[in-house]
Amino acid sequence: MLPLFSFAGESSANDAESVPKRESVALPGQSAYTGAGLSIGLAAGVFSPIEECDCMGTWQGQLEYFYSDLVSGSFEVRFFGGDLDREKMVMYQRYRINVRFHSAYDEFALFAGPFLGLENTSISEFRKQVVDREEADSKKTRARFWWQQADDDEKEDEPDSSKTESDCGKLFAMNGFSIGLGLGGGYNVSRLFAVTGLVQVEYNFSKDVMLSLVPGVAFNLLEVWPWAKGALRSTWISFEVGGQRYVHGGVEGWSNTFFLGLQLGA
């Protein structure tokens, strides 16, 4: 009996070891194609808007599950925060639910799929209110005579900055629900490095349309980390540069995002 149980145990262990572990392919957005299991991605970076606006910090997270080797679903969140310009601060939140259809080969993977998004913008103008209050207090204590020019008349000669403020604000005008379509993929150039890319078009029900192009490079940390190689399906470190362009709204130029992120697949 003992030799029989020993033989059965060795057979099952050999069968488990004989199951091939699929090589992962890096994908944009701190994701990777594994064909099964769960993928977690985290990234932080900088958002560089149009020239008239200030840079601000941003971070994003993604949770993706492969239902099969052809279909996956994911949830994404992205936050922007910081000074929009000299007078305003902004906190911009984006939430997305994705369905992706995959086509993968040994070193190459493609996906396409729709997504549903929700955007929320909170802009604070408290610094502008403080400045206006200080100016109002100073006017009360200032003597006014009929031969002095009114302050309102002086402001008419000053350059109008409303266009700059409006353009900056339009970068975060996509509030409410949005729908879109994304097409992306990745290619493992070597055992350690991969290139990724994403093209995305989304329409917000506030009648704004945005085009996104996101190229990137990734390093296969799994190949140089022994623990991860035995415990995880994939581990990638990625660097992405995203370009965003608003089709409507009159905003000229591209806005850019720079992300450094980590992906873990289990």
Side-chain angles (χ1 to χ4, degrees):
M1 293 295 292
L2 291 176
L4 180 61
F5 281 114
S6 177
F7 179 78
E10 292 178 0
S11 176
S12 60
N14 292 334
D15 292 342
E17 292 177 358
S18 63
V19 176
K21 192 174 182 179
R22 188 186 185 105
E23 295 293 334
S24 65
V25 180
L27 294 177
Q30 292 74 53
S31 180
Y33 179 83
T34 59
L38 190 67
S39 174
I40 300 174
L42 294 172
V46 176
F47 175 66
S48 177
I50 57 178
E51 185 177 357
E52 294 85 356
C53 312
D54 296 334
C55 294
M56 59 186 65
T58 179
W59 70 272
Q60 66 181 17
Q62 177 175 256
L63 183 66
E64 184 173 13
Y65 180 75
F66 284 85
Y67 296 96
S68 68
D69 57 349
L70 298 178
V71 181
S72 71
S74 67
F75 173 76
E76 299 178 13
V77 59
R78 177 179 289 189
F79 287 172
F80 298 86
D83 297 336
L84 184 61
D85 52 34
R86 291 180 299 176
E87 297 179 346
K88 299 179 182 178
M89 296 182 68
V90 63
M91 173 61 75
Y92 185 60
Q93 308 169 35
R94 309 195 70 184
Y95 305 91
R96 286 180 183 165
I97 298 176
N98 301 272
V99 177
R100 291 176 173 177
F101 301 93
H102 299 266
S103 177
Y105 304 90
D106 292 338
E107 299 177 348
F108 183 69
L110 282 174
F111 70 84
F115 62 85
L116 174 66
L118 174 64
E119 289 79 28
N120 182 30
T121 304
S122 175
I123 297 179
S124 174
E125 297 182 273
F126 70 92
R127 284 178 296 176
K128 182 176 185 298
Q129 295 173 4
V130 171
V131 172
D132 290 346
R133 191 180 302 113
E134 291 176 351
E135 291 181 353
D137 294 339
S138 64
K139 291 176 182 177
K140 292 179 181 178
T141 60
R142 185 185 308 163
R144 295 294 302 275
F145 301 96
W146 62 270
W147 61 81
Q148 289 181 332
Q149 186 178 17
D151 291 338
D152 294 339
D153 296 337
E154 294 177 357
K155 291 183 178 179
E156 292 180 358
D157 299 333
E158 297 177 356
D160 184 15
S161 60
S162 60
K163 182 179 185 301
T164 298
E165 296 176 7
S166 177
D167 287 348
C168 291
K170 287 178 182 178
L171 295 175
F172 301 94
M174 297 182 69
N175 281 321
F177 288 98
S178 62
I179 56 175
L181 180 66
L183 173 65
Y187 174 67
N188 291 352
V189 179
S190 66
R191 184 176 64 91
L192 295 177
F193 294 96
V195 292
T196 63
L198 174 69
V199 179
Q200 195 166 255
V201 178
E202 53 189 303
Y203 170 79
N204 186 271
F205 291 104
S206 59
K207 298 182 180 179
D208 289 310
V209 179
M210 186 173 71
L211 171 66
S212 299
L213 304 176
V214 187
V217 294
F219 174 74
N220 192 355
L221 187 60
L222 192 75
E223 292 295 330
V224 297
W225 190 6
W227 178 87
K229 197 166 188 178
L232 300 174
R233 295 178 183 270
S234 61
T235 308
W236 292 88
I237 296 177
S238 63
F239 177 73
E240 296 179 340
V241 180
Q244 302 173 354
R245 179 67 183 265
Y246 284 83
V247 179
H248 293 296
V251 179
E252 299 180 357
W254 288 80
S255 300
N256 300 304
T257 54
F258 305 89
F259 276 112
L260 180 64
L262 173 67
Q263 184 274 338
L264 300 173

